[in-house]
């Protein structure tokens, strides 16, 4: 395993991810602002057009930044988890956050037999950890700790920020524009899941736990309607953001086989964990 980043390197990485997330969130505002400015210049004058374009562009960018996480949580039909019902999850998250120096995320649950977890948010202290009910039912404590550590590493590195912004912006277009899953994956950062595994097992100090969790998640049942993960737009835009990628748009099961050159495929990561 590569050496983990030093604390100052972690903060530098987190700052870069936040800046990248801000840039992604600003993109719709820039587009809208340009359109408004062009129309304003054509219909009124240059100064009015530029001022109107800038003002509306800023409003759109800020709205995108603030609404991205709630929009995705609603689209996933995720509900806030009851601490009594999910005491094991809350206890593990509290322990991991204490050891990693993180604020507690909001924990939400998607009622689905599939086994998955994803973390969203525009800031580390405003992170939302989304898990499926099937994940909690299927994993033993060691495996669950590996998955939760993996998701909290995403929070610590702040790579949830560009991932969340990219998924939220792509969400309205996922049903009509092909390739949105791959676009979000590229903006979030290819190889992010592979790299996060490395840091997660340094937190838990037990690679087999995460390895067995990934294998269990691959072998789990596929999502079925009316679950939001059963082939809907939100499943596609968040496909590569889950601990194990969701099925593609054809609705197939999670793939246990790797894709050449794709580090984020679970099979590739399992092979790496076997060597760690």
């Amino acid at each position: 395993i590569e050496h983990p980043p030093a604390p100052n390197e972690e903060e530098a990485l987190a700052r870069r991810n936040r800046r990248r997330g801000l840039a992604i969130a600003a993109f719709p505002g820039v587009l809208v602002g340009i359109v408004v400015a062009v129309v304003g210049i054509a219909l009124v004058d240059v100064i009015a057009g530029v001022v109107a374009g800038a003002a509306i562009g800023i409003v759109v960018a800020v709205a995108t930044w603030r609404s991205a996480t709630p929009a995705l949580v609603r689209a996933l039909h995720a509900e806030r988890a009851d601490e009594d019902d999910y005491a094991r999850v809350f206890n593990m998250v509290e322990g991991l956050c204490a050891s990693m120096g993180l604020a507690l995320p909001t924990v939400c649950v998607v009622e689905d037999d599939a086994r998955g977890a994803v973390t969203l948010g525009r800031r580390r202290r405003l992170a939302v950890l989304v898990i499926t009910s099937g994940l909690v039912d299927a994993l033993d404590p060691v495996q669950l700790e590996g998955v939760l550590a993996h998701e909290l590493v995403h929070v610590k590195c702040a790579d949830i920020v560009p991932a969340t912004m990219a998924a939220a912006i792509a969400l309205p277009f996922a049903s009509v524009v092909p390739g949105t899953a791959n676009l979000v994956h590229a903006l979030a950062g290819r190889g992010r899941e592979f790299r996060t595994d490395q840091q997660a097992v340094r937190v838990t100090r037990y690679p087999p736990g995460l390895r067995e969790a990934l294998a269990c998640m691959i072998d789990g049942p596929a999502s079925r309607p009316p679950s939001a993960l059963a082939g809907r737009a939100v499943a596609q835009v968040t496909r590569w953001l889950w601990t194990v990628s969701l099925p593609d748009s054809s609705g197939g099961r999670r793939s246990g086989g790797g894709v050449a050159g794709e580090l984020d495929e679970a099979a590739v990561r399992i092979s790496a964990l076997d060597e760690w």
Side-chain angles (χ1 to χ4, degrees), residues 99-244:
S99 66
M100 297 170 70
L102 294 173
L104 293 175
T106 300
V107 180
C108 294
V109 177
V110 176
E111 290 297 329
D112 193 311
D113 291 336
R115 301 161 186 174
V118 65
T119 314
L120 306 167
R122 72 177 190 267
R123 292 179 183 170
R124 288 187 290 188
R125 63 183 178 84
L126 298 175
V128 178
L129 170 63
V130 179
I131 57 176
T132 62
S133 55
L135 178 79
V136 180
D137 295 337
L139 301 189
D140 66 29
V142 175
Q143 295 167 347
L144 183 59
E145 182 187 43
V147 172
L148 296 177
H150 174 102
E151 291 303 322
L152 291 172
V153 167
H154 282 312
V155 178
K156 192 170 184 66
C157 294
D159 65 18
I160 59 172
V161 184
T164 300
M165 296 303 140
I169 291 170
L171 182 59
F173 310 102
S175 299
V176 294
V177 178
T180 51
N182 290 330
L183 176 60
V184 172
H185 191 197
L187 291 172
R190 294 186 183 277
R192 73 193 284 267
E193 302 302 325
F194 185 92
R195 292 189 296 271
T196 299
D197 286 346
Q198 294 186 1
Q199 293 172 262
V201 297
R202 285 190 173 273
V203 173
T204 64
R205 301 182 184 277
Y206 191 65
L210 180 56
R211 187 257 183 239
E212 294 304 320
L214 296 180
C216 182
M217 294 164 81
I218 290 173
D219 292 336
S223 297
R224 298 177 181 276
S227 171
L229 303 184
R232 294 189 184 178
V234 69
Q236 291 311 302
V237 298
T238 62
R239 182 188 176 204
W240 290 101
L241 308 185
W242 294 77
T243 314
V244 169

